[in-house]
Amino acid sequence: KRIILQHISYCHSDECDDLERRQLREENIIQIVIEYLQQNTVLELKMSHVAKLANCSMGVIYSHFPSKEDLILACAYRQIKKDFACIEKALNQHSEPLDQMIMASILIWSVFKQQPSEYALKQFAINPHVWNAASISRVKSVTELVNTFSAKLSFISNQLFSDYKLGGQGVEAEQFNLGLFGLTLGLYQQSVSAFGDILGFNSSYDQQSNHHFKSLLVRYLSSWGLERQDMSERVESLSQLTFKNR
């Protein structure tokens, strides 16, 4: 019995080692792809390139990621998780719900401004054909991550509506969140597109695009009845703090 138990123990140990090596290899592949995408577009990415850069066979790559779309979603998951951790850390430094929501919007804006390749990856990753082609487990992990973070923002926005007596919570607070982050994402997307040149809102002019973003953020908050005499100064102060900490 002692011999059998020892054999089982060794088997479990070997299985753990194999699992750990597999996880490390997968993390390494993801990191390699993220670094590749800093200099190249998602459309240029090929699984054969990934295998060569990771010094792995195509079979090994496909054992981790059954499709290119699955790999892209895995990379997006890594970046989104990092962004959410950064935002959550900043939110914990402020107790007022209004400041927390402003800070969240500014942080998302600053992440995209400082890491445009990450924005391009995430934009490609939310494409319906990517989600349809990726594995169910990969889609589930991203969905759970986003839902968990969204729940935290919903809690803060409901507190905000209660503090400022803005009326109904729940649905209206959710609409506030959708508008706030729709504004943030939409403005950045516009600034990096050809429309940015046409409309005079080009991301290559950092001061101009940052000014437009902060001004429109203040106007959006005002449209919900969130008006303070020092709102512009408050947004500017939180913006300076954000860029300093990043």
Side-chain angles (χ1 to χ4, degrees):
K1 289 183 179 179
R2 187 179 297 118
I3 294 174
I4 294 174
L5 288 173
Q6 286 177 345
H7 178 68
I8 293 173
S9 176
Y10 291 148
C11 286
H12 282 311
S13 176
D14 290 342
E15 288 173 2
C16 288
D17 289 344
D18 289 343
L19 180 60
E20 185 177 350
R21 281 194 293 269
R22 179 177 174 80
Q23 290 174 336
L24 288 173
R25 184 170 60 204
E26 183 164 305
E27 288 298 314
N28 182 56
I29 293 169
I30 291 171
Q31 184 59 38
I32 286 171
V33 173
I34 289 173
E35 291 176 3
Y36 173 86
L37 293 175
Q38 290 174 357
Q39 304 296 328
N40 304 275
T41 68
V42 178
L43 295 176
E44 294 174 300
L45 181 67
K46 295 182 179 179
M47 297 298 265
S48 57
H49 292 162
V50 176
K52 185 175 181 180
L53 290 170
N55 195 28
C56 295
S57 68
M58 290 287 287
V60 168
I61 298 297
Y62 278 112
S63 73
H64 287 276
F65 312 99
S67 65
K68 175 181 171 179
E69 289 80 6
D70 197 75
L71 174 57
I72 290 170
L73 207 55
C75 293
Y77 175 88
R78 163 85 76 84
Q79 300 299 78
I80 293 169
K81 186 177 182 180
K82 182 189 70 174
D83 293 346
F84 285 173
C86 176
I87 294 172
E88 190 167 0
K89 180 180 178 182
L91 296 183
N92 291 336
Q93 296 173 2
H94 300 272
S95 58
E96 187 177 344
L98 177 58
D99 286 351
Q100 290 179 313
M101 296 307 292
I102 292 172
M103 181 66 87
S105 177
I106 293 172
L107 273 167
I108 291 172
W109 172 267
S110 67
V111 164
F112 290 155
K113 291 282 288 184
Q114 295 175 11
Q115 299 290 340
S117 63
E118 289 188 18
Y119 170 79
L121 169 62
K122 293 166 196 165
Q123 280 297 106
F124 195 88
I126 63 175
N127 224 292
H129 87 266
V130 172
W131 283 66
N132 291 334
S135 64
I136 294 175
S137 60
R138 196 75 65 184
V139 170
K140 183 179 179 181
S141 64
V142 176
T143 302
E144 289 176 349
L145 177 66
V146 174
N147 285 344
T148 299
F149 185 72
S150 295
K152 293 177 182 177
L153 292 179
S154 293
F155 178 77
I156 296 172
S157 61
N158 275 293
Q159 282 186 312
L160 174 63
F161 270 55
S162 176
D163 290 352
Y164 280 80
K165 298 178 173 59
L166 297 180
Q169 299 179 36
V171 174
E172 288 192 8
E174 288 297 325
Q175 291 173 347
F176 171 81
N177 284 353
L178 287 171
L180 177 62
F181 298 110
L183 171 73
T184 306
L185 297 171
L187 285 174
Y188 180 78
Q189 187 173 40
Q190 180 176 292
S191 73
V192 296
S193 72
F195 290 107
D197 289 325
I198 297 171
L199 301 173
F201 187 49
N202 193 299
S203 66
S204 58
Y205 303 104
D206 280 345
Q207 289 186 344
Q208 182 190 60
S209 59
N210 286 337
H211 173 73
H212 284 326
F213 164 66
K214 288 179 284 189
S215 296
L216 289 169
L217 176 57
V218 171
R219 286 175 179 269
Y220 176 77
L221 296 172
S222 176
S223 73
W224 278 89
L226 295 165
E227 298 183 89
R228 286 172 39 166
Q229 290 184 344
D230 66 339
M231 185 65 82
S232 295
E233 291 79 8
R234 189 61 187 159
V235 169
E236 182 62 35
S237 174
L238 290 170
S239 179
Q240 292 296 329
L241 181 63
T242 299
F243 284 103
K244 180 180 178 181
N245 289 339
R246 282 191 65 81

